[in-house]
Amino acid sequence: MAKVFIYPTTSLILSDMVARFGHEPLGSPLGIRERIQTAGIDSPPLQITPEEPKKGLRYAAVEVPSGVRGRMAVIGPLIEHAEAAIIINDADLAFGCMGCARTNELVKYLVRRRKIPILELMYPKTEEEGIAFVAAIRRFLQELGGEKR
Amino acid sequence: MTAPVRIAQLSCGSEYSGVQKEINEAAAAVNAEIFFPDISLADIERDSALFGLEARSADLKLAIARAKALVEGRIDADAVFIGTCFRCAEAAIVRNELRRYIHENSRLPVVSYSFTERTTAGTLLTRMEALTTIARRRALLAREEQVGLTLGVDSGSSTTKSIVMRDNAIVGKGWVPTTDVLKSADEAIALALGEAGVKRSELEAIGVTGYGRFLIGEHVKADLVQEELTVNSKGAVFLADRQHGPCTVIDIGGMDNKAISVQDGIPGTFTMGGICAGASGRFLEMTAKRLGVDITELGPLAMQGMGANVPMNSYCIVFGTQSLVNALSSGCSPQDVAAAACHSVAEQVFEQQLQEIDIKEPVIMVGGTSLIEGLVYAMGTLLQTEILVPRYSQFIGAVGSSLLASGFIKGE
């Protein structure tokens, strides 16, 4: 079983596919869950505090917008823990929304810098592309040693 | 208790910057509630395409679609708050265009702000207060004449001003430096009452504005405690006799600057802030001190100089002062240095703030700095227009408070 970082990190379809093939998906719900379940004065409903942009300094300098650093505080540790990654470029909003374009650029760059197996695909526009898309993801996940559940 | 004012939030990054709680708190403090216009995924795709601005960020696309829903009346709101991360170029473009779009196509008051993770509810309070005032008190802001005997107090960061008005005329003035907030207010009030020749007990209503408004409001039992954005707009159009039609009010203050786009005496869009003290009246105070002249002499001095002779390219009060000291030590004249300081402040306000609102003529400059003619000249040159400085422009907040307070005279 491998820890597979997914991009868009909010994609439930990708997350589901990774889990179905026996791996652990690393998506933003994981990072958010940690903030919800950790007891403290800033427990739910407030999940992100002004501390997060400071923690995000590990991934982006202080000149970078606060929202990018706040997002990186959530996503950055997931990238660090990843053993493999799937990146879907130009995905539809409905497939998984990544709110900030600047964060997206940084996330993809940081993933590509890791020396881990990465599958990069374009979001499919037709049915044929869709079939090839799913097949490519399945092949990648199987090669990682996963087994379909 | 009146129903809360519903402020629609259009934003990108506020949750992840950790400032959403501060935005909500600032709104709650002025009996307003923040809500996110609810739209469908299909709306986002369609509306962001129709709007024509190809933002890459999904959250900015969402903000665009929400703005369209508000303008087209698909969602009801009383006011709009636009907030995006400071330093994001794409967000700055979208923020500016959405503010303009909403202002031009609806009657919704709108304010925008670029936040950092250090933005606090206190910073946002005046803006939220102005939004709710415009939404809730249109009738009060439509008041064009002062009636009865009223007092207005403006507690600024540098000076405290007080004005007594009787039947639409100024009859007493008080102006003292702000030290102890309450003590300064008492002194300014005593001066104004003395000049007017009236007793405190004769006053029919009192209005207060400025940074110390809440403290002073309680102290003098004011009828009206109001932020300076709406009050200054009202005071400016009253003194400049521009109650009808469009105008732009610029107030370069000791601590921050306000630029307000006004229509028929009611603020539409406004910006408040300033990147650094280098773009404020405080910098001119420091310049005057360094030149060894009174602040009242700085303007005439600047008019005799050529600002272009002094190299100034800093947006910071410390480095700006350093530039002035360097210029003096290299032989530049005090006149040139004074002119350069005025030009520097005007240029920073022009570049950092006036780009965020639509400049509508006439442009009215108010506040203590409007008496510095070198600054007014520099601003006029940058804006390529003649600047209107009404009589008593330095008392703008106090006049506005006194005027609006007359709406609270019993029996009205």
Side-chain angles (χ1 to χ4, degrees):
Chain A
M1 186 188 78
K3 291 178 176 176
V4 183
F5 179 80
I6 55 169
Y7 176 91
T9 61
T10 52
S11 172
L12 293 177
I13 295 173
L14 268 186
S15 180
D16 183 58
M17 282 186 76
V18 170
R20 274 171 192 257
F21 282 93
H23 300 291
E24 183 186 341
L26 299 182
S28 55
L30 264 186
I32 297 288
R33 188 176 72 190
E34 187 188 320
R35 279 157 182 81
I36 295 173
Q37 293 180 340
T38 307
I41 52 167
D42 291 316
S43 291
L46 183 69
Q47 299 156 9
I48 304 286
T49 70
E51 288 305 306
E52 256 67 27
K54 290 179 198 164
K55 291 177 189 160
L57 286 169
R58 180 179 165 87
Y59 307 99
V62 74
E63 291 87 2
V64 174
S66 49
V68 175
R69 285 182 279 124
R71 287 174 168 99
M72 287 313 299
V74 176
I75 301 168
L78 300 176
I79 298 173
E80 286 180 29
H81 286 112
E83 292 161 346
I86 300 173
I87 294 174
I88 308 301
N89 288 306
D90 283 340
D92 188 84
L93 277 172
F95 184 72
C97 169
M98 290 288 282
C100 170
R102 303 289 86 84
T103 308
N104 300 350
E105 289 160 10
L106 183 60
V107 163
K108 286 198 265 187
Y109 170 71
L110 291 178
V111 171
R112 286 169 189 148
R113 257 189 15 179
R114 294 281 322 274
K115 302 291 180 206
I116 52 174
I118 299 171
L119 174 69
E120 280 206 49
L121 294 170
M122 292 300 289
Y123 184 73
K125 298 278 193 292
T126 63
E127 194 176 335
E128 289 78 35
E129 285 177 6
I131 292 167
F133 175 82
V134 173
I137 294 174
R138 186 183 60 195
R139 205 162 43 246
F140 177 74
L141 292 170
Q142 282 173 338
E143 283 169 8
L144 286 176
E147 282 180 19
K148 192 170 181 185
R149 284 186 217 161
Chain B
M1 192 156 167
T2 52
V5 169
R6 296 186 76 240
I7 301 177
Q9 180 175 328
L10 311 180
S11 58
C12 182
S14 57
E15 308 94 325
Y16 286 91
S17 295
V19 295
Q20 190 56 48
K21 178 169 150 275
E22 304 295 324
I23 297 171
N24 294 345
E25 260 181 38
V30 291
N31 190 24
E33 66 179 12
I34 292 285
F35 77 99
F36 294 89
D38 196 10
I39 54 174
S40 70
L41 188 61
D43 291 340
I44 304 174
E45 306 282 13
R46 186 196 61 219
D47 290 344
S48 60
L50 282 174
F51 192 75
L53 205 167
E54 291 179 19
R56 293 288 299 165
S57 295
D59 278 0
L60 291 174
K61 283 185 182 176
L62 178 62
I64 292 170
R66 283 174 165 161
K68 272 190 85 71
L70 288 167
V71 164
E72 289 168 8
R74 282 181 272 136
I75 286 166
D76 282 332
D78 300 318
V80 186
F81 174 78
I82 305 174
T84 60
C85 292
F86 177 54
R87 294 192 180 107
C88 178
E90 186 177 48
I93 293 167
V94 173
R95 196 175 66 230
N96 206 34
E97 294 314 315
L98 287 187
R99 184 183 45 235
R100 184 172 293 155
Y101 170 70
I102 294 167
H103 182 57
E104 285 173 359
N105 295 290
S106 76
R107 288 191 71 202
L108 291 168
V110 53
V111 65
S112 66
Y113 190 74
S114 55
F115 49 75
T116 69
E117 68 274 27
R118 290 173 186 267
T119 297
T120 61
T123 312
L124 298 166
L125 185 64
T126 302
R127 293 164 179 86
M128 291 294 181
E129 205 182 339
L131 272 184
T132 54
T133 303
I134 299 163
R136 191 180 276 144
R137 290 185 167 170
R138 270 190 184 266
L140 180 68
L141 292 175
R143 171 167 289 272
E144 293 179 6
E145 283 197 0
Q146 184 273 344
V147 294
L149 184 67
T150 60
L151 170 80
V153 184
D154 178 4
S155 173
S157 63
S158 295
T159 54
T160 303
K161 287 80 69 178
S162 182
I163 281 285
V164 175
M165 291 181 81
R166 190 200 295 272
D167 300 332
N168 217 33
I170 293 168
V171 292
K173 308 178 294 296
W175 186 5
V176 298
T178 303
T179 49
D180 179 303
V181 172
L182 288 180
K183 210 170 134 202
S184 301
D186 283 338
E187 283 172 25
I189 291 169
L191 285 171
L193 288 174
E195 191 178 308
V198 296
K199 288 186 195 136
R200 181 91 171 256
S201 56
E202 294 174 62
L203 293 169
E204 293 175 88
I206 301 174
V208 296
T209 188
Y211 288 101
R213 63 187 178 280
F214 295 112
L215 191 63
I216 296 171
E218 208 170 301
H219 179 61
V220 299
K221 300 198 171 27
D223 304 274
L224 174 85
V225 178
Q226 193 80 55
E227 39 60 47
E228 50 271 33
L229 285 157
T230 51
V231 168
N232 285 10
S233 305
K234 207 59 217 172
V237 296
F238 173 79
L239 288 178
D241 197 17
R242 300 285 173 151
Q243 304 256 19
H244 301 280
C247 70
T248 305
V249 177
I250 300 174
D251 180 0
I252 300 175
M255 203 157 88
D256 58 31
N257 310 319
K258 296 150 201 98
I260 314 160
S261 180
V262 182
Q263 180 68 38
D264 296 330
I266 297 174
T269 58
F270 48 85
T271 66
M272 184 182 172
I275 295 302
C276 164
S280 74
R282 190 77 70 198
F283 180 58
L284 297 176
E285 268 180 13
M286 283 189 65
T287 304
K289 197 175 164 194
R290 180 63 187 80
L291 293 175
V293 299
D294 189 77
I295 184 75
T296 56
E297 298 169 47
L298 188 71
L301 196 67
M303 293 302 282
Q304 297 163 26
M306 286 284 290
N309 293 345
V310 178
M312 281 208 64
N313 51 11
S314 172
Y315 276 177
C316 164
I317 194 164
V318 175
F319 292 122
T321 310
Q322 215 170 51
S323 297
L324 298 182
V325 172
N326 285 340
L328 286 168
S329 60
S330 65
C332 288
S333 71
Q335 288 85 348
D336 287 351
V337 167
C342 288
H343 179 78
S344 170
V345 170
E347 193 176 40
Q348 287 188 54
V349 173
F350 176 73
E351 287 178 5
Q352 306 287 348
Q353 284 192 278
L354 298 183
Q355 302 302 321
E356 297 213 354
I357 63 162
D358 292 322
I359 299 288
K360 297 172 186 164
E361 292 185 3
V363 176
I364 307 170
M365 266 181 88
V366 295
T369 53
S370 65
L371 300 180
I372 301 172
E373 55 183 306
L375 180 64
V376 176
Y377 172 78
M379 189 59 85
T381 308
L382 282 168
L383 291 176
Q384 294 286 299
T385 184
E386 200 172 319
I387 307 271
L388 215 61
V389 180
R391 194 178 174 212
Y392 301 127
S393 63
Q394 72 274 37
F395 290 102
I396 203 77
V399 171
S401 297
S402 182
L403 167 68
L404 292 174
S406 69
F408 289 82
I409 292 176
K410 279 180 190 145
E412 280 221 7

